[in-house]
């Protein structure tokens, strides 16, 4: 019996050692969210959905704001719409000692909407997000995340590691999702047409949610205790903006009112949508994102000069 237990213990130790070794290779290729749960905890943050995750580049902000490091804590519409789960995740993510941070909340009509058929909070999409059950946001490697939210074999972590080559959707350590796709006119048109079909259907199934608007304000109030908050509306291309304007014609007015009520600045870039290039009509191309981020930084710097 002792020999059997020894052998079993030996195999268990070997298996654990192999898993620890494989998990140590988790990086920006592992999946679209893993690195949001690796440290260190930031004092300057970007929040929102996938538009924000791709359009706002922390490195650009770091270059504009000396002695500050930004982290992009934007996930996607399913996992990080504005709500109480996102608020609690932000509290766990942020450096608790932050007193003079800069926080950018990116908005569009979709991340303050819910499905028309949603009747109860238990049905919100973010309930199955990693944000709903993760405790550690500053571990690297983060075995909690891999155990709970990496459904594939851990051999894939090693096989798909960054050293072999970056994936087309690569999550940087600072949370920026770098998407690399061909933006030739033919392929771009196909992706735009697909997004228009998707968002027309989406608009028919969604409604602006007072719960999410209230949660946005709760997040603003919390972050104001830690620094200065800016709300930024990120545009899409003309086809997407047409859908958004039909879906919520007064969206910018709603957000502007929330900003005024809470004493924060609202930077609405939706009228400038034709200035940028998009990968699919909805998400900003990475080179346009760098220009867009610099514009946001300049607006914040100008505002801070006024505040002084």
């Amino acid at each position: 019996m002792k020999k059997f237990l020894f052998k079993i213990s030996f195999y268990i130790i070997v298996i654990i050692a192999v898993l620890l070794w494989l998990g140590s290779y988790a990086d920006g290729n592992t999946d679209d969210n893993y690195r949001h749960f690796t440290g260190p905890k930031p004092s300057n943050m970007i929040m929102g959905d996938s538009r924000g995750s791709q359009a706002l580049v922390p490195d650009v902000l770091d270059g504009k704001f000396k002695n500050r490091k930004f982290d992009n804590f934007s996930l996607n519409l399913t996992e990080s719409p504005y709500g109480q789960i996102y608020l609690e995740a932000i509290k766990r993510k942020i450096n608790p000692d932050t007193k003079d941070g800069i926080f950018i909340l990116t908005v569009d009509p979709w991340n303050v909407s819910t499905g028309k058929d949603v009747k109860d909070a238990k049905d919100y999409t973010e309930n199955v997000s990693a944000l709903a059950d993760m405790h550690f946001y500053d571990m690297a490697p983060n075995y909690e995340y891999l155990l709970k939210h990496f459904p594939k074999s851990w051999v894939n972590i090693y096989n798909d590691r960054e050293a072999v080559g970056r994936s087309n959707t690569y999550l940087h350590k600072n949370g920026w999702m770098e998407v690399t796709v061909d933006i030739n006119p033919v392929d771009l048109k196909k992706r735009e047409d697909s997004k228009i079909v998707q968002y027309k259907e989406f608009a028919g199934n969604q409604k602006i949610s007072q719960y999410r608007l209230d949660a946005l304000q709760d997040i603003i109030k919390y972050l104001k205790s830690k620094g200065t908050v800016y709300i930024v509306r990120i545009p899409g291309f003309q086809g997407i903006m047409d859908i958004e304007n039909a879906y919520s014609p007064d969206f910018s007015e709603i957000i502007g009112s929330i900003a005024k009520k809470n004493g924060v600045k609202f930077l609405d870039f939706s009228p400038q949508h034709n200035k940028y290039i998009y990968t699919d009509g909805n998400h900003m191309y990475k080179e346009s994102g760098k220009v867009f981020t610099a514009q946001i930084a300049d607006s914040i710097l100008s505002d801070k000069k006024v505040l002084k």
Side-chain angles (χ1 to χ4, degrees):
M1 185 66 177
K2 287 183 178 179
K3 288 183 178 180
F4 173 75
L5 291 175
F6 176 79
K7 287 181 179 179
I8 290 296
S9 299
F10 174 76
Y11 286 124
I12 290 173
I13 290 170
V14 169
I15 291 169
I16 291 172
V18 170
L19 289 175
L20 290 173
W21 176 73
L22 290 172
S24 71
Y25 284 93
D27 57 25
N29 282 0
T30 300
D31 67 12
D32 290 349
N33 291 332
Y34 170 72
R35 274 189 165 161
H36 289 304
F37 300 91
T38 58
K41 292 191 173 186
S43 294
N44 306 280
M45 294 171 63
I46 302 152
M47 287 142 283
D49 56 20
S50 58
R51 278 193 197 175
S53 73
Q54 296 177 40
L56 271 79
V57 186
D59 286 342
V60 174
L61 293 170
D62 295 350
K64 290 277 189 175
F65 297 91
K66 304 306 179 185
N67 303 316
R68 289 184 186 268
K69 289 290 183 182
F70 282 79
D71 181 272
N72 194 326
F73 191 50
S74 308
L75 279 71
N76 56 62
L77 278 179
T78 300
E79 301 186 85
S80 62
Y82 288 111
Q84 292 303 313
I85 285 177
Y86 199 16
L87 170 58
E88 293 306 314
I90 290 166
K91 291 178 179 179
R92 290 191 290 271
K93 176 74 173 178
I94 196 171
N95 181 338
D97 298 325
T98 300
K99 298 187 186 307
D100 185 34
I102 294 176
F103 307 105
I104 301 171
L105 299 172
T106 66
V107 296
D108 53 62
W110 317 111
N111 61 7
V112 291
S113 291
T114 55
K116 289 179 179 178
D117 59 343
V118 173
K119 305 299 182 185
D120 194 277
K122 65 180 176 60
D123 297 321
Y124 292 146
T125 59
E126 63 265 34
N127 288 336
V128 296
S129 166
L131 300 177
D133 67 2
M134 285 292 296
H135 297 92
F136 300 105
Y137 284 69
D138 57 349
M139 292 174 60
N142 193 327
Y143 293 106
E144 181 197 10
Y145 179 89
L146 296 175
L147 286 166
K148 289 180 175 179
H149 297 286
F150 188 75
K152 303 176 185 176
S153 165
W154 285 26
V155 173
N156 291 86
I157 297 173
Y158 179 79
N159 290 340
D160 297 336
R161 67 194 186 279
E162 181 183 344
V164 177
R166 287 188 177 181
S167 66
N168 291 336
T169 55
Y170 176 77
L171 190 64
H172 287 253
K173 289 181 179 180
N174 59 19
W176 176 46
M177 173 61 72
E178 181 179 5
V179 175
T180 303
V181 294
D182 197 329
I183 55 170
N184 71 76
V186 175
D187 288 342
L188 181 56
K189 181 67 164 56
K190 289 179 182 177
R191 291 194 295 269
E192 288 174 346
D193 290 346
S194 177
K195 277 296 177 190
I196 286 175
V197 171
Q198 177 187 347
Y199 272 79
K200 280 183 176 179
E201 181 179 349
F202 199 42
N205 297 327
Q206 297 283 302
K207 63 180 180 181
I208 297 292
S209 165
Q210 190 59 50
Y211 164 79
R212 297 211 182 284
L213 293 173
D214 290 343
L216 174 61
Q217 295 190 76
D218 289 341
I219 291 170
I220 291 169
K221 290 170 185 174
Y222 171 74
L223 292 175
K224 280 187 69 178
S225 71
K226 301 285 187 180
T228 311
V229 178
Y230 295 89
I231 305 176
V232 174
R233 182 175 183 184
I234 305 176
F237 92 123
Q238 184 68 59
I240 291 294
M241 295 310 298
D242 289 343
I243 295 170
E244 289 190 3
N245 291 333
Y247 174 75
S248 180
D250 57 348
F251 180 71
S252 287
E253 286 74 16
I254 292 171
I255 299 300
S257 177
I258 288 174
K260 184 176 181 180
K261 177 183 176 181
N262 289 276
V264 301
K265 194 86 170 181
F266 175 38
L267 305 175
D268 185 3
F269 287 88
S270 59
Q272 303 177 30
H273 62 274
N274 286 327
K275 291 184 177 181
Y276 309 106
I277 299 171
Y278 305 88
T279 58
D280 56 5
N282 187 47
H283 300 97
M284 207 171 284
Y285 180 56
K286 59 185 178 180
E287 297 305 324
S288 274
K290 293 172 184 177
V291 174
F292 179 66
T293 306
Q295 291 175 317
I296 292 171
D298 290 341
S299 296
I300 293 174
L301 286 167
S302 296
D303 181 63
K304 283 195 163 289
K305 286 179 182 178
V306 171
L307 294 176
K308 285 183 179 179

